[in-house]
Amino acid sequence: MKTSRVSRSLALASLLLSLAVPAAWGEVSLPPLFSSHAVLQKAPRVPVWGKASAGERITVTLGTASASATAGADGKWSASLDLAQSGPGPFDLVVKGTNTLTVSDVVVGEVWLASGQSNMEWVAYNTTGAKEEMAQSANPQVRQFLVRKNTSPTPLDDMQGEWKVAGPSTTGGFTATGYFFAKSVQQALGRPVGLLNSSWGGTNVEGWTSADGVARLPALKESTAKYGAEEQSFPVRIKEFATVFSDWTAKTGREDKKALSSTDVLGAASTVAWQPVTLPATAGAGLPANGGVVWLRRTVNVPAGSAGLQQSLDVGRIDGFFTIYFNGEKVSEVTPATGLPRPGAFYVKGDLIKAGDNTLALRIYHPAAMPAVVDGQPFRFIYRPISGEWQAHVEQEFPALAADARSTLPPTPVRPMNRQDIGGYLYNGMIHPMIPYGIRGVIWYQGESNGWRAAQYREFFPNLITDWRARWGMSDLPFYFCQLANFGGKSSEFKENSTAELREAQSLALKLPNTGQAVLIDVGEADDIHPRNKRDVGARLARIALANTYGRKDITFSGPVYQAQRIEGERIRIAFTQANGGLVAKELPATYAPRSTVDRTLPLEKYSAGSDLQGFAICGADRKWVWAQAKIDGDKVVVWSSAVKSPIAVRYGWASNPTCNLYNGAGLPASPFRTDDFPLSTLANKY
């Protein structure tokens, strides 16, 4: 018994000591970037890092390369491997401390960061010829690490993601642009290519910029601080509003009674009465003029090629709180507890979308005015208008509101900017945790979300490039980007265009060294902002990388680029660089398909009848633009119009979806341009 008491006393003392004193060691760990199937950059200094106990000695080995490090007081350690002479592998990455980690199937080759918005995020499964491509895509030398979406107001050290090897069951989930880029580079070099896919649809350039980059530009710094403060304070503000609003509706008898469910109204057995209504609506449209609840529905037709794919839905400007239903399923909801949304698209998941007729429905509640869709914002589905005749069912109707009650109606807070659009938030969550992973360069496809602020993009985009180079400590880091593809309806009217201005802003970034631009003015689709032809997109980016990063001087990587103009009486002569193989007027078809997934064609109207080249416009001192005649004359293009006797400037491809056909002998299109410096239409639009 005495021995037992002593043993228990010693055990208790040992337990108390273990609780009072920090552990003397901890297991070595690695971030997800260093996991099975990883690709490491073939370079003399390749960082490998992780966590361990403070002061713990770590050894890292890959093939014949080895390095060591000691964990700091914060438990972080970093070692640098010399892989400049390494073969491709595969190898085991072995990390030894108090424990040993073995990461299998690690290869050494070329690593590229693929980032941007939806056209970079767009997966290979949804591209032209995907079925055939996926079936033959097995290639252990092409791999992707997909970064899980995340935002943060402060830089994060950790992120989630996973490496995948290209193959029939995996390639469909790769970034399509990145996949075709990697495939081309891998075939040309004969070494592994890894993609770090950190992309997020609908995002702007500001969100991808670090706090240091944001701070460099006063306008960006000020706006970011404002949006960040709004985002941080919104939970308190909306909670306060919801309480006051609930009290007001109870006092005035204008609560949302929610007498009918979506099944009651939209279900197959529904017997509610419907009446025709025209949307967007104004007073006298047959809707409850003084407030209430109304259901609205209409049929939308979906082409077979668009079924099963996520699609955009712009619901215009809605007066009231609302719920969106697609084929009876809730898509999104705006309530007093969420606040009013900023203008922008909602998205309908692909599994809700079927070929043929689908039912789109809205339930709108407004306590003090007519619940309706009104003019002021785009009202469309899959980029096609959905205005016109709808059906309406009034669930609840309120009497006129007394003036004193109206005066106390609390204003509904507008939701803060999406977290992913606030300066630095995307960088903090999806880029910073990867640094300083060894990469060869960056491929970038983004800009659609900044289109309406094209003038600011002239400053913000080069700032991002400089910022990322600084963060990686590589002032010459290759940065190759996609110019926005053609998109939107064709028009014979010449007018100022924000998309054209955004393309120009992208081109201006070429002033930075080690940059390159893939011109996509011929791969887009009128009715889809996401071109399905990502094969040419990736291949054009690969041309730039192979020529400029890997020294393949036999590869033409750019179409004609505007150099200078010379006025010759009634004509203007344009000179170009990158006219490899000579200038070419590519033959235009008689028709075009506005959407590749739909079997429908439209006549292709030419701007200038009888002209070899299309897409050129000219103006005089009055700045009135007219479509021009243009022809190739040796290594120049001559532009003129009988309507402009004293021309001063030329523009080419200056439209969202221009008809233009200037190429070089390598089959690459000329970049849209202008020779003037007239004020931009987007100058007043700010972040």
Side-chain angles (χ1 to χ4, degrees):
M1 292 293 293
K2 186 179 297 186
T3 303
S4 179
R5 287 197 196 98
V6 171
S7 299
R8 285 199 296 268
S9 298
L10 289 173
L12 178 60
S14 176
L15 174 61
L16 292 174
L17 183 62
S18 70
L19 293 175
V21 180
W25 59 271
E27 289 194 342
V28 175
S29 65
L30 291 167
L33 281 166
F34 302 102
S35 57
S36 295
H37 316 308
V39 183
L40 298 182
Q41 178 60 45
K42 186 178 176 68
R45 290 178 297 279
V46 179
V48 179
W49 68 90
K51 295 179 181 178
S53 296
E56 189 171 351
R57 188 70 173 169
I58 310 297
T59 301
V60 180
T61 304
L62 184 90
T64 60
S66 184
S68 59
T70 301
D74 58 359
K76 296 178 181 178
W77 60 267
S78 179
S80 183
L81 292 172
D82 182 355
L83 301 180
Q85 304 304 318
S86 175
F91 302 102
D92 283 344
L93 175 66
V94 180
V95 180
K96 291 184 177 180
T98 53
N99 61 302
T100 299
L101 296 177
T102 301
V103 180
S104 62
D105 190 31
V106 176
V107 295
V108 177
E110 302 301 304
V111 180
W112 287 81
L113 169 58
S115 188
Q117 58 181 110
S118 57
N119 270 308
M120 183 60 81
E121 185 181 6
W122 197 259
V123 294
Y125 177 80
N126 289 333
T127 59
T128 304
K131 183 177 180 181
E132 295 76 16
E133 181 65 39
M134 299 308 100
Q136 58 186 13
S137 66
N139 187 346
Q141 294 203 340
V142 173
R143 305 177 178 202
Q144 172 185 270
F145 182 88
L146 178 60
V147 178
R148 186 178 298 175
K149 293 178 180 177
N150 195 18
T151 62
S152 174
T154 57
L156 301 180
D157 289 333
D158 299 317
M159 64 179 180
Q160 297 299 312
E162 184 179 11
W163 282 100
K164 295 283 189 180
V165 178
S169 65
T170 57
T171 303
F174 281 34
T175 156
T177 293
Y179 168 72
F180 287 112
F181 167 84
K183 179 182 177 181
S184 295
V185 172
Q186 192 278 319
Q187 288 177 342
L189 301 182
R191 68 179 70 152
V193 177
L195 299 166
L196 305 179
N197 179 5
S198 185
S199 52
W200 189 326
T203 54
N204 58 34
V205 74
E206 295 84 356
W208 293 104
T209 307
S210 78
D212 287 344
V214 166
R216 271 198 298 270
L217 303 179
L220 179 54
K221 180 180 179 181
E222 181 180 349
S223 296
T224 294
K226 172 189 171 186
Y227 297 138
E230 289 177 351
E231 193 271 333
Q232 295 294 314
S233 66
F234 184 74
V236 173
R237 290 187 288 118
I238 193 64
K239 185 176 181 180
E240 292 174 347
F241 164 78
T243 300
V244 174
F245 181 82
S246 177
D247 291 344
W248 183 90
T249 56
K251 182 178 179 181
T252 57
R254 306 177 87 84
E255 305 101 317
D256 181 359
K257 299 293 187 182
K258 297 185 177 175
L260 298 174
S261 69
S262 59
T263 302
D264 295 332
V265 179
L266 304 174
S270 174
T271 59
V272 302
W274 296 90
Q275 63 181 22
V277 62
T278 300
L279 298 179
T282 56
L287 301 174
N290 299 307
V293 177
V294 65
W295 291 80
L296 300 165
R297 73 175 185 183
R298 68 159 289 166
T299 298
V300 292
N301 187 268
V302 174
S306 299
L309 303 177
Q310 177 177 285
Q311 302 292 351
S312 65
L313 169 65
D314 292 281
V315 293
R317 184 168 72 83
I318 295 180
D319 276 354
F321 303 103
F322 59 91
T323 307
I324 305 171
Y325 296 92
F326 199 88
N327 288 331
E329 297 292 330
K330 185 187 296 185
V331 171
S332 189
E333 189 171 37
V334 173
T335 72
T338 64
L340 298 179
R342 293 174 181 267
F346 295 87
Y347 291 91
V348 182
K349 294 187 297 183
D351 56 9
L352 296 180
I353 298 175
K354 62 183 181 181
D357 288 345
N358 295 254
T359 301
L360 171 63
L362 304 172
R363 181 187 188 274
I364 308 175
Y365 157 62
H366 198 306
M370 183 177 71
V373 178
V374 298
D375 284 321
Q377 298 292 340
F379 190 37
R380 59 195 181 184
F381 177 60
I382 318 183
Y383 303 105
R384 290 186 167 276
I386 50 175
S387 54
E389 185 171 314
W390 284 60
Q391 291 181 309
H393 172 73
V394 177
E395 176 184 330
Q396 193 173 355
E397 186 168 5
F398 299 135
L401 183 64
D404 59 341
R406 183 178 297 278
S407 67
T408 58
L409 174 64
T412 308
V414 176
R415 292 178 190 171
M417 181 172 283
N418 292 329
R419 285 175 61 91
Q420 63 267 30
D421 293 330
I422 299 174
Y425 275 43
L426 277 173
Y427 169 86
N428 292 336
M430 297 180 66
I431 299 298
H432 185 270
M434 285 192 286
I435 299 174
Y437 198 82
I439 63 174
R440 179 66 73 189
V442 177
I443 54 173
W444 174 263
Y445 196 154
Q446 188 276 335
E448 296 91 343
S449 291
N450 285 87
W452 68 287
R453 293 185 282 105
Q456 276 194 321
Y457 203 76
R458 288 170 159 231
E459 188 176 26
F460 288 6
F461 181 39
N463 181 60
L464 173 118
I465 297 173
T466 302
D467 177 45
W468 282 17
R469 287 173 168 175
R471 304 285 73 76
W472 253 278
M474 300 169 66
S475 61
D476 60 348
L477 179 70
F479 197 107
Y480 304 139
F481 52 90
C482 296
Q483 190 184 68
L484 294 191
N486 50 308
F487 166 68
K490 294 279 189 181
S491 174
S492 59
E493 178 186 1
F494 186 96
K495 54 186 177 182
E496 296 299 330
N497 185 273
S498 63
T499 301
E501 292 180 11
L502 194 285
R503 293 190 187 110
E504 180 184 56
Q506 292 175 311
S507 295
L508 289 172
L510 293 172
K511 293 179 180 178
L512 293 176
N514 255 22
T515 54
Q517 176 175 252
V519 175
L520 308 178
I521 201 65
D522 58 343
V523 303
E525 304 186 23
D527 286 353
D528 195 341
I529 202 168
H530 304 117
R532 302 305 169 99
N533 174 14
K534 292 294 194 289
R535 185 183 300 272
D536 284 344
V537 178
R540 289 178 186 178
L541 285 169
R543 278 177 173 264
I544 301 171
L546 291 170
N548 296 327
T549 299
Y550 300 109
R552 300 294 179 87
K553 300 306 180 186
D554 58 322
I555 294 177
T556 299
F557 64 88
S558 171
V561 176
Y562 167 70
Q563 183 181 38
Q565 75 166 12
R566 187 174 72 196
I567 300 174
E568 301 175 345
E570 296 184 359
R571 301 188 174 202
I572 295 181
R573 187 176 297 270
I574 307 294
F576 297 87
T577 61
Q578 304 297 334
N580 304 53
L583 298 176
V584 175
K586 187 175 182 179
E587 184 176 353
L588 289 168
T591 61
Y592 73 98
R595 192 178 182 94
S596 63
T597 56
V598 180
D599 187 16
R600 182 172 71 101
T601 59
L602 297 173
L604 182 63
E605 180 182 357
K606 294 184 176 181
Y607 298 132
S608 307
S611 179
D612 294 338
L613 290 169
Q614 297 294 315
F616 283 88
I618 196 167
C619 80
D622 60 1
R623 301 186 180 183
K624 293 182 179 179
W625 294 95
V626 298
W627 295 115
Q629 299 289 309
K631 69 175 183 179
I632 296 169
D633 185 9
D635 60 352
K636 309 288 194 301
V637 169
V638 179
V639 186
W640 75 96
S641 171
S642 59
V644 181
K645 298 301 182 182
S646 300
I648 65 169
V650 166
R651 292 186 180 183
Y652 172 75
W654 206 259
S656 181
N657 188 7
T659 298
C660 48
N661 63 330
L662 178 62
Y663 287 71
N664 62 13
L668 296 175
S671 176
F673 67 89
R674 62 178 182 143
T675 69
D676 63 273
D677 60 355
F678 303 158
L680 300 172
S681 66
T682 54
L683 272 174
N685 300 336
K686 306 297 182 183
Y687 174 64

